[in-house]
Amino acid sequence: MPSEIRDVIIIGSGPAGLTAAIYTARANMHPLVIEGEPSSTSDQPGGQLMLTTEVENFPGFPDGVQGPELMGLFRQQAQKFGAELITEKVSRVDFSERPFKMWLASDGPDAEPHLAHSVIVSTGAKPILLGLEAEQRLFSKGVSTCATCDGFFFRGQDIAVVGGGDSAIEEATFLTRFANSVTIVHRRDELRASKIMQDRAFANEKIRFAWNSVVVDLDGEDTLQGAVLQDTITGERRTLPVTGLFVAIGHQPNTDIFRGVLDMADTGYLVTQPGSTATNIPGVFACGDVQDSVYRQAITAAGSGCMAAIDAERWLEAQRH
């Protein structure tokens, strides 16, 4: 039964949460990390890197590192300095007064909450996928949601990007640095992206378009060999021979339990104060992809986790004085 009041509880254990754990542990704040559920697709322990194979752009690993291995090292380092981890999911919070209260998904109706003087929210975000069975099988084997992370692996190949907004066009344009060709697959006959982004795409000789098309299946057992497209008007199907497919139809932050509690944008991302990780509730901080709709990289998430830890430490120190 929880009874002690922690200096800090960290909700989430991706690069942001575990970096916050390392820093708060080294500051003798004795953090508790409620890291999520292994069975959860949205806020599993370790975050999105647990679904990533080769990571080549994280500093300090010139030969690359497997995503799960990298997160295992983060976890070990946090525990080395005294961070305590619980592999559970937070189902409910009460930030109306201090100490802040958090309940776990496995708690019964009369369970005592976990208590903390400060909270760091690092529940991350998940990419919106197409919902295909083959998509899960071929994820990181030709299917990706991050051009910045994986584009290098598709040098000289024919690849496709699904989506029609600014993010999709930005990803497609970036991928032309590596790919032989990039086909933008869009369910309509015109893009939703801004005019300047459209102009760049139309002017790029490596970019092609599959209008009025949706991806309904993927070919390949161990690696992607092609994307099956269906015409949204005629229903006709054809196979696009690509070895890479980047899904760029948006991300969904894991913020449902904070609705009505913490300020968030219309897109669901938590709002933090400029130049800070502080939320609208004093003593509650947010870091990583749960408040970052722009960069969404492991290294930027880790950096903001460091910021949140320092912000929380300084805030607690100010409260004590």
Side-chain angles (χ1 to χ4, degrees), residues 180-306:
N180 178 57
S181 71
V182 178
T183 300
I184 296 175
V185 180
H186 189 44
R187 62 174 55 249
R188 300 180 180 84
D189 60 359
E190 60 181 6
L191 300 172
R192 293 181 291 104
S194 58
K195 181 67 164 55
I196 188 170
M197 295 296 291
Q198 292 191 43
D199 290 344
R200 290 175 185 171
F202 293 140
N204 194 313
E205 60 182 15
K206 285 190 175 183
I207 293 180
R208 306 166 183 173
F209 296 89
W211 301 112
N212 299 316
S213 298
V214 292
V215 179
V216 293
D217 201 1
L218 301 173
D219 289 341
E221 287 299 320
D222 299 321
T223 59
L224 180 68
Q225 300 299 319
V228 180
L229 307 185
Q230 180 171 303
D231 192 291
T232 58
I233 299 175
T234 66
E236 180 182 354
R237 293 192 176 191
R238 66 185 179 96
T239 298
L240 184 68
V242 292
T243 51
L245 181 77
F246 288 79
V247 182
I249 55 178
H251 284 73
Q252 181 179 336
N254 301 315
T255 53
D256 286 349
I257 63 171
F258 306 111
R259 292 191 181 278
V261 179
L262 297 176
D263 286 350
M264 57 183 69
D266 293 339
T267 52
Y269 287 89
L270 296 184
V271 175
T272 51
Q273 297 176 17
S276 169
T277 61
T279 68
N280 59 297
I281 295 182
V284 179
F285 306 87
C287 57
D289 287 7
V290 75
Q291 54 85 53
D292 173 20
S293 62
V294 179
Y295 299 103
R296 296 195 298 263
Q297 300 296 304
I299 188 65
T300 53
S304 70
C306 166

Side-chain angles (χ1 to χ4, degrees), residues 30-42:
H30 311 292
L32 171 65
V33 182
I34 306 177
E35 58 176 350
E37 294 178 332
S39 60
S40 173
T41 57
S42 60

Side-chain angles (χ1 to χ4, degrees), residues 13-263:
S13 64
L18 290 176
T19 299
I22 292 168
Y23 272 78
T24 52
R26 283 175 52 81
N28 292 323
M29 295 171 68
H30 311 292
L32 171 65
V33 182
I34 306 177
E35 58 176 350
E37 294 178 332
S39 60
S40 173
T41 57
S42 60
D43 57 356
Q44 64 175 339
Q48 293 184 52
L49 280 186
M50 296 301 290
L51 304 175
T52 304
T53 52
E54 194 76 10
V55 179
E56 289 195 328
N57 57 3
F58 199 90
F61 295 90
D63 297 322
V65 60
Q66 297 290 305
E69 179 187 356
L70 178 61
M71 295 320 301
L73 294 171
F74 270 61
R75 200 173 190 272
Q76 290 174 30
Q77 192 169 356
Q79 290 177 308
K80 173 185 175 181
F81 294 115
E84 181 183 347
L85 286 82
I86 298 178
T87 308
E88 290 264 13
K89 180 179 180 179
V90 174
S91 61
R92 182 163 62 96
V93 301
D94 181 357
F95 294 162
S96 61
E97 61 180 359
R98 296 195 293 271
F100 301 120
K101 303 177 183 66
M102 286 141 280
W103 288 266
L104 305 180
S106 61
D107 286 341
D110 299 323
E112 290 291 323
H114 288 273
L115 306 175
H117 293 299
S118 66
V119 175
I120 295 176
V121 177
S122 57
T123 48
K126 59 181 178 291
I128 300 173
L129 299 175
L130 303 173
L132 305 174
E133 182 278 327
E135 187 178 31
Q136 297 294 331
R137 185 180 75 250
L138 294 171
F139 199 85
S140 292
K141 299 176 181 178
V143 176
S144 175
T145 57
C146 180
T148 307
C149 311
D150 299 331
F152 179 83
F153 299 115
F154 295 89
R155 189 175 296 277
Q157 300 181 37
D158 295 310
I159 59 181
V161 173
V162 181
D166 278 356
S167 294
I169 305 308
E170 184 176 2
E171 298 246 305
T173 303
F174 175 82
L175 289 167
T176 59
R177 302 179 187 182
F178 312 101
N180 178 57
S181 71
V182 178
T183 300
I184 296 175
V185 180
H186 189 44
R187 62 174 55 249
R188 300 180 180 84
D189 60 359
E190 60 181 6
L191 300 172
R192 293 181 291 104
S194 58
K195 181 67 164 55
I196 188 170
M197 295 296 291
Q198 292 191 43
D199 290 344
R200 290 175 185 171
F202 293 140
N204 194 313
E205 60 182 15
K206 285 190 175 183
I207 293 180
R208 306 166 183 173
F209 296 89
W211 301 112
N212 299 316
S213 298
V214 292
V215 179
V216 293
D217 201 1
L218 301 173
D219 289 341
E221 287 299 320
D222 299 321
T223 59
L224 180 68
Q225 300 299 319
V228 180
L229 307 185
Q230 180 171 303
D231 192 291
T232 58
I233 299 175
T234 66
E236 180 182 354
R237 293 192 176 191
R238 66 185 179 96
T239 298
L240 184 68
V242 292
T243 51
L245 181 77
F246 288 79
V247 182
I249 55 178
H251 284 73
Q252 181 179 336
N254 301 315
T255 53
D256 286 349
I257 63 171
F258 306 111
R259 292 191 181 278
V261 179
L262 297 176
D263 286 350

